[in-house]
Amino acid sequence: MEGRPLKDANFSGIWSPETIEAIQEKADLGRYQIRGQATKRRDLPSFDDLVFVPAGLSRMPLEGYRERCDTKVTIGEGRVKRPLVLDRPIMIAGMSFGALSVNAKRALGRAATKCGISTCTGDGGMHPEERANSAKLVYQYLPSRYGLTPYDMRKADMIEVVCGQGAKPGTGGVLLGTKVSAEVARMRDLPEGVDQRTPSRHPDWMGADDLPVKIQQIREAVDYEVPVSVKVGASRIADDIKLIARAGVDAIVFDGMEGGTAASPTIQLDHTGIPTIAAIAEAAESLRDMGLKEDIKLIVGGGIRNGADAAKCIALGADVVYIGTAALIALGCHRPIHVEDYHRMGTTPYECNHCHTGLCPVGITTQYPKLIERLDPDEGAERVANFLNAMTMEIQLFARACGKNRVHDLDGNDMRSLTIEASMMTGVPMVGLNGRVPAWRTY
Amino acid sequence: MSGKAILTLDSNKLSVHEVNLAIRKAAKDGIKTVELLNPMARHNLGVAITDPIHLVYKGDVGYYAVSLSDQVSAEIHGSAGWGIGDNLIRGEIVVHGNAATAAAPSLRGGTVVVKGSVGPRSAIGLKSGELIVGGGAGYMTGFFMQKGRIVICGDTGDAIGDSMYQGAIYVGGRIGSVGSGCRFVDIAGPERDELFATLERYKIKAPKAFQKVESDRSLWHFDKKEFEVWKDVL
Ligand SMILES: Cc1cc2nc3c(=O)[nH]c(=O)nc-3n(C[C@H](O)[C@H](O)[C@H](O)COP(=O)(O)O)c2cc1C
Ligand code: SF4
């Protein structure tokens, strides 16, 4: 933004400085822009459009710290030999070794283990350090099939078949060459330093009709031991959920358009998919329509920042929330240390979205040994575990305040919408109407 | 060790799961060969077999036969459905008939031989190993191929080898078109001799000559401004 007037500038709403910069960057590069993190749109419907309406006299609250408030979730109960038991309704989202450094993987694994929840391999295969540090590990089965072996599938605690993600539904993955180190290249069978792209479709099945056969193959491979889920990006979510449910899975994972990424086309981050809050309502309704809401767990991600967002997801029908970016921020992403390195990339802490460059100043999204060393896995694990504890307490706080002794008993009636849009999307009653249908003409 | 050389299973009388468990147990027990009667194009017969064994399928198989497996050899006396040999690590699979779409997807090693033709989108994301086809191959075969080789004696559809990173595709017949990021290269004498010897070993009638396709590396880096190439692949 060098040369940009500092104040009192008469910027255009259409040709804003950001738009001008984007056009000039494309003119320079000859391709679309790529970056990490997530969409920066400020106009999306959000969890902030909902509030809880806790107990008063019409309901009794539970005593905080005294009365139990269960948080446990079991995926695949009664369906597989070794269901995945999560002590809290939170999972660390799939983030690949390659996108993340090995120390980030170690830290997330240790934190999740402390908190009795899972981490997920992401693309690129199962790194032995990740398996060693994470007691509950979900293994992603993706179009790329990088590093895939039946041996690693059998080591997994759940298999997640990936058909898309919220940051870039409908497209494959990207990992720029600066992150395709010798080890990453070996694990993915790629030339070192190549700008890696992956296909958007699986190599050996096409549509919803083939999916049940694929799921059966995976179940055979893991001998019906562990649960199997399918992940999509939230776009045509109501129909997608029905097609996945019909294929006979134990859980469905999706993240909304706010979902994080290590590298995606910028234009896609802002213009594809639907917001998480809208998607959950559609997804839960699809499962209810099919009578499968109790059998198939709904794992929801995309822009979840705290226990309030998580509790709202659960009240709208999610069984588990799936967090990527928030876990990375707890780990130290955007931390104002090594600030000169942020500046060298042309950014600052709090606005950084440079995960794609491989130059992460805090050692999280990099493969350079000197930068990786900056992240101490034990310290990182403690910070993430602290955050997960805080988030769990926050979820319980809302549940107790609403008089629920299981966080999963939260429902839409425990909330009100602050906006008409949120109310229409989620079915959560609008504040101030007390369930009335507005009758404008009475005054 | 049971000492038994051959175990015969009738897939008509067993569930898919029972077939897979029986094959795995036989391999663990050191049985050399499992003969599978009446596969009747059922899916997922022979999944995650990771101890050495030889499988003989007496008929057509459905999707994902001999998939997610290691150290396995197999003969299929019939045709194969989608994804034959999916993710094979080590071993050899010979299909005496044709194979449908997506033959030999994402192989990690070993050899898949199809005496007839293979459908489109075969050997996508090949990571090592080889697919050898006596007949032709459909469009987008070798898409995103990473390593290894594909040998096609007959004609191919369009976009062969599109976006391939490494590895080589040899085609004996007419090529519909090559995909983005590919080029034709000459074949060295010893390379040609080895190809013909391989085909002879599998008793496949060799074409007169082969054309060889490999990556031109134009898609290896995003900093290239070759829009003519990128516009088709992105
Ligand atoms: C650094 C990073 C790497 C990611 N890698 C993958 C991946 O390999 N596979 C995948 O399905 N999703 C991947 N994702 C998406 C996450 O699994 C998840 O859907 C998303 O982060 C959820 O949104 P949130 O970041 O707002 O919590 C990645 C996200 C991030 C931030
Ligand atoms: S600090 Fe690192 S992880 Fe965070 S946005 Fe910047 S590059 Fe990505």
Side-chain angles (χ1 to χ4, degrees):
Chain A
M1 300 264 167
E2 215 167 298
R4 216 207 256 186
L6 287 178
K7 55 178 183 175
D8 300 334
N10 187 16
F11 293 134
S12 161
I14 299 168
W15 307 106
S16 65
E18 290 75 19
T19 305
I20 290 169
E21 267 185 352
I23 292 175
Q24 288 177 347
E25 195 177 324
K26 288 177 217 173
D28 190 33
L29 289 172
R31 63 159 169 81
Y32 49 64
Q33 298 159 293
I34 293 173
R35 67 169 174 80
Q37 212 102 90
T39 179
K40 294 192 178 184
R41 285 180 67 152
R42 289 159 174 265
D43 56 348
L44 301 177
S46 94
F47 293 110
D48 295 340
D49 298 337
L50 300 173
V51 288
F52 281 101
V53 280
L57 281 177
S58 50
R59 277 190 198 173
M60 291 314 280
L62 301 190
E63 292 293 355
Y65 308 110
R66 294 228 162 262
E67 288 176 288
R68 252 190 94 75
C69 180
D70 260 2
T71 55
K72 203 159 109 181
V73 192
T74 305
I75 302 173
E77 196 166 20
R79 300 166 67 96
V80 293
K81 295 178 205 161
R82 193 155 53 83
L84 178 60
V85 181
L86 303 168
D87 291 349
R88 300 126 188 253
I90 307 170
M91 296 167 97
I92 306 280
M95 295 180 277
S96 73
F97 167 69
L100 297 189
S101 67
V102 69
N103 278 357
K105 282 286 191 187
R106 286 185 179 116
L108 293 175
R110 287 175 204 175
T113 302
K114 273 190 206 177
C115 297
I117 65 164
S118 61
T119 62
C120 172
T121 58
D123 203 350
M126 184 186 284
H127 195 289
E129 278 299 304
E130 177 167 38
R131 181 63 280 191
N133 284 284
S134 183
K136 297 173 186 181
L137 181 59
V138 178
Y139 188 37
Q140 279 197 339
Y141 183 95
L142 303 103
S144 72
R145 306 282 163 88
Y146 290 146
L148 179 77
T149 71
Y151 305 109
D152 284 346
M153 288 174 83
R154 287 174 189 155
K155 284 186 211 152
D157 299 292
M158 176 161 110
I159 309 286
E160 183 173 297
V161 179
V162 180
C163 301
Q165 67 179 90
K168 46 182 165 187
T171 54
V174 180
L175 189 71
L176 296 187
T178 45
K179 296 174 86 170
V180 183
S181 66
E183 190 183 16
V184 172
R186 186 183 49 72
M187 278 182 67
R188 299 183 184 215
D189 295 289
L190 289 171
E192 195 177 331
V194 80
D195 288 336
Q196 166 233 287
R197 292 175 300 126
T198 63
S200 55
R201 293 201 292 246
H202 280 260
D204 52 2
W205 61 278
M206 278 292 212
D209 288 341
D210 297 334
L211 184 58
V213 187
K214 189 38 88 180
I215 301 291
Q216 183 191 37
Q217 181 207 27
I218 292 169
R219 290 213 189 269
E220 286 293 324
V222 297
D223 203 14
Y224 298 82
E225 282 272 332
V226 294
V228 178
S229 65
V230 170
K231 177 180 181 184
V232 287
S235 50
R236 300 165 178 273
I237 195 71
D239 290 339
D240 285 351
I241 293 276
K242 287 189 177 166
L243 294 169
I244 298 167
R246 200 190 58 126
V249 295
D250 304 302
I252 301 175
V253 185
F254 71 82
D255 57 334
M257 69 180 289
E258 305 93 322
T261 177
S264 292
T266 308
I267 198 113
Q268 200 180 9
L269 292 174
D270 292 342
H271 299 283
T272 53
I274 65 170
T276 307
I277 173 183
I280 308 180
E282 286 193 38
E285 194 173 316
S286 282
L287 284 181
R288 279 189 208 107
D289 280 355
M290 295 178 84
L292 292 172
K293 183 70 187 74
E294 296 304 314
D295 295 346
I296 299 179
K297 299 295 178 208
L298 209 48
I299 303 167
V300 176
I304 292 167
R305 305 157 294 179
N306 52 37
D309 292 352
K312 290 170 191 175
C313 281
I314 292 169
L316 289 174
D319 294 284
V320 182
V321 297
Y322 194 69
I323 58 165
T325 307
L328 300 188
I329 294 174
L331 197 52
C333 158
H334 290 296
R335 226 171 155 186
I337 51 173
H338 308 290
V339 172
E340 63 292 350
D341 287 349
Y342 286 95
H343 290 166
R344 210 166 291 136
M345 295 193 291
T347 188
T348 60
Y350 308 104
E351 71 170 329
C352 185
N353 50 234
H354 291 53
C355 319
H356 62 298
T357 64
L359 297 172
C360 175
V362 290
I364 296 174
T365 52
T366 179
Q367 299 302 323
Y368 291 114
K370 284 236 145 41
L371 295 174
I372 298 172
E373 272 171 25
R374 292 181 179 176
L375 180 65
D376 175 349
D378 283 321
E379 191 197 326
E382 194 171 327
R383 295 181 61 80
V384 175
N386 284 343
F387 171 69
L388 290 169
N389 288 340
M391 197 170 154
T392 310
M393 288 162 72
E394 287 172 347
I395 302 172
Q396 288 174 310
L397 183 151
F398 291 110
R400 285 200 179 99
C402 291
K404 307 283 167 91
N405 60 10
R406 289 177 65 238
V407 297
H408 291 95
D409 287 341
L410 283 169
D411 62 39
N413 202 23
D414 292 315
M415 299 187 292
R416 293 291 179 270
S417 297
L418 297 178
T419 66
I420 295 173
E421 286 86 349
S423 179
M424 287 181 76
M425 282 184 289
T426 61
V428 170
M430 185 68 202
V431 285
L433 291 180
N434 190 26
R436 263 186 299 119
V437 176
W440 309 114
R441 267 189 267 158
T442 52
Y443 300 106
Chain B
M1 291 277 273
S2 74
K4 230 170 116 180
I6 297 191
L7 171 72
T8 301
L9 301 173
D10 187 344
S11 107
N12 224 355
K13 298 195 173 125
L14 299 167
S15 70
V16 168
H17 189 50
E18 285 166 339
V19 169
N20 287 324
L21 288 181
I23 297 173
R24 281 180 216 152
K25 180 169 184 311
K28 278 246 174 320
D29 291 348
I31 290 175
K32 296 266 176 303
T33 301
V34 169
E35 198 179 51
L36 204 68
L37 309 180
N38 300 313
M40 300 179 74
R42 286 166 83 193
H43 305 313
N44 292 316
L45 293 176
V47 176
I49 315 298
T50 48
D51 291 303
I53 195 143
H54 183 65
L55 303 174
V56 182
Y57 293 81
K58 298 275 193 174
D60 299 333
V61 293
Y63 282 32
Y64 313 131
V66 207
S67 61
L68 291 162
S69 292
D70 190 13
Q71 312 185 77
V72 174
S73 59
E75 306 162 33
I76 290 157
H77 295 278
S79 287
W82 285 41
I84 177 75
D86 173 18
N87 207 75
L88 181 70
I89 298 176
R90 286 168 293 180
E92 182 190 80
I93 301 168
V94 179
V95 181
H96 288 277
N98 298 311
T101 299
S106 191
L107 293 189
R108 315 197 64 79
T111 302
V112 174
V113 179
V114 178
K115 299 266 177 107
S117 293
V118 296
R121 295 173 53 82
S122 287
I124 290 185
L126 199 74
K127 297 186 169 49
S128 187
E130 53 186 358
L131 168 65
I132 298 170
V133 184
Y139 64 84
M140 278 174 93
T141 287
F143 181 50
F144 271 115
M145 175 177 184
Q146 295 172 231
K147 282 180 200 155
R149 76 170 175 182
I150 302 173
V151 181
I152 302 157
C153 295
D155 300 342
T156 77
D158 284 330
I160 296 305
D162 195 285
S163 299
M164 65 195 283
Y165 288 101
Q166 284 177 303
I169 304 177
Y170 301 88
V171 182
R174 198 182 50 80
I175 295 179
S177 63
V178 293
S180 296
C182 295
R183 63 175 185 188
F184 288 102
V185 288
D186 291 339
I187 307 180
E191 197 179 351
R192 185 180 306 121
D193 295 346
E194 196 273 331
L195 266 180
F196 286 121
T198 303
L199 293 177
E200 201 172 312
R201 200 163 67 245
Y202 291 111
K203 298 191 172 51
I204 292 175
K205 188 170 174 297
K208 285 201 185 66
F210 278 102
Q211 299 181 81
K212 180 178 177 182
V213 178
E214 64 173 30
S215 168
D216 68 6
R217 304 190 175 192
S218 59
L219 302 178
W220 274 28
H221 295 289
F222 275 111
D223 56 9
K224 289 271 190 307
K225 288 187 189 169
E226 292 160 3
F227 183 65
E228 283 312 307
V229 182
W230 279 109
K231 76 175 197 300
D232 289 335
V233 294
L234 291 174

